[in-house]
Amino acid sequence: FLYMALEAVDPDAHREAAEVANSYRRSEGSDNPEEGVRLWFETWGGPGSWLALPEPARARMLTPGALREGVQIWDLLEESGLEFAQGSAVSVPTLVIHGERTVPFQKRINELVAGSIPGARQASVARAGHFSPLSHASTVAGFIREFWAAAA
């Protein structure tokens, strides 16, 4: 969640991440709130993932304020002052996992986080997006088992 720290090291990736949050903010209270929710959801779930949701799930996502918590996290992090350099203080075994199809700005954040933590390892889940712990649970669990076995 180091989106704000991303601004200093990769302004293009930061702009991409900010546009996702801003599109949702703009859609809240507009005549077309679905557009912002769709963009937010498809950013994380991949193209077409919004329409692939069953209608009752899409209706719940369109409930006023349903995604507001995600934007509030962005707002809190904007004020946190976190920096990637703080990762050098981490002294526990660390595994950073991302889906192969994770959005570029999130992949960049993962790279920077892993690069800032001494000895951190990275793993990429083939054919997975941001929701890889849900969509590819057995693969993610396998990475974690291997990681802990090597760390022991």
Side-chain angles (χ1 to χ4, degrees):
F1 291 108
L2 295 169
Y3 299 108
M4 296 307 113
L6 185 61
E7 184 173 24
V9 294
D10 194 333
D12 291 337
H14 178 266
R15 273 191 294 280
E16 183 183 344
E19 181 53 35
V20 173
N22 289 335
S23 68
Y24 176 72
R25 285 184 183 117
R26 284 190 303 271
S27 72
E28 256 189 339
S30 76
D31 291 338
N32 187 12
E34 184 171 355
E35 182 57 23
V37 174
R38 182 200 60 76
L39 176 61
W40 181 277
F41 195 84
E42 290 194 354
T43 295
W44 299 109
S49 57
W50 174 249
L51 290 177
L53 281 176
E55 178 56 36
R58 287 198 310 269
R60 278 193 306 275
M61 297 287 281
L62 290 172
T63 303
L67 293 182
R68 187 70 193 139
E69 289 178 14
V71 176
Q72 286 172 336
I73 290 169
W74 177 281
D75 294 340
L76 289 172
L77 291 168
E78 191 171 45
E79 299 167 6
S80 72
L82 291 174
E83 297 178 5
F84 289 104
Q86 292 171 317
S88 64
V90 176
S91 61
V92 296
T94 303
L95 174 64
V96 179
I97 301 173
H98 71 269
E100 176 184 59
R101 296 179 182 154
T102 294
V103 292
F105 67 82
Q106 186 62 55
K107 280 186 186 177
R108 182 69 174 129
I109 289 170
N110 288 9
E111 292 169 2
L112 291 165
V113 166
S116 73
I117 299 172
R121 291 186 39 212
Q122 292 188 71
S124 179
V125 181
R127 298 175 305 282
H130 185 70
F131 300 123
S132 60
L134 300 175
S135 63
H136 294 72
S138 62
T139 301
V140 171
F143 282 143
I144 295 169
R145 276 192 298 275
E146 290 172 18
F147 174 74
W148 283 117

